[in-house]
């Protein structure tokens, strides 16, 4: 119990969260503010990167806080626009 297959357990999960925050935290902030949408949204790879930043990495960076889900509407809009 308490062990997660994707991170090995709570300690590894915290390490992964920290790594994602260090490496991608500023990009998540910029994507959340819409600063990357027009440039990155021009390609499929850029659109996918935006969705990962907003939908997945935000959950790691802001784990156990409401902020982990604040980017969901923007991620959903970007996803629907990319279809």
């Amino acid at each position: 119990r308490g062990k997660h297959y994707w991170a090995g357990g709570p300690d590894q999960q915290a390490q992964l969260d920290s790594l994602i925050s260090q490496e991608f935290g500023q990009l998540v902030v910029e994507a959340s503010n819409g600063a990357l949408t027009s440039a990155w949204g021009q390609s499929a790879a850029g659109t996918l990167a935006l969705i990962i930043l907003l939908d997945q990495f935000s959950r790691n960076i802001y784990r156990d806080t409401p902020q982990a889900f604040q980017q969901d509407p923007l991620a959903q809009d970007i996803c629907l626009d990319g279809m």
Side-chain angles (χ1 to χ4, degrees):
R1 205 163 155 89
K3 187 171 183 177
H4 306 287
Y5 72 89
W6 61 88
D11 292 337
Q12 290 83 3
Q13 190 175 49
Q15 291 174 359
L16 178 62
D17 292 350
S18 178
L19 176 65
I20 289 172
S21 182
Q22 290 171 13
E23 295 291 324
F24 301 100
Q26 185 58 41
L27 287 172
V28 169
V29 169
E30 291 176 30
S32 298
N33 293 332
L36 305 177
T37 306
S38 62
W40 289 30
Q42 298 300 310
S43 69
T47 298
L48 178 59
L50 283 170
I51 293 167
I52 292 169
L53 286 172
L54 294 167
D55 184 63
Q56 297 299 307
F57 287 177
S58 63
R59 282 164 170 64
N60 292 92
I61 294 169
Y62 305 118
R63 184 179 303 280
D64 299 324
T65 71
Q67 194 172 3
F69 305 98
Q70 286 181 342
Q71 294 73 225
D72 286 2
L74 180 55
Q76 185 178 22
D77 288 345
I78 292 168
C79 184
L80 292 173
D81 287 345
M83 292 176 79

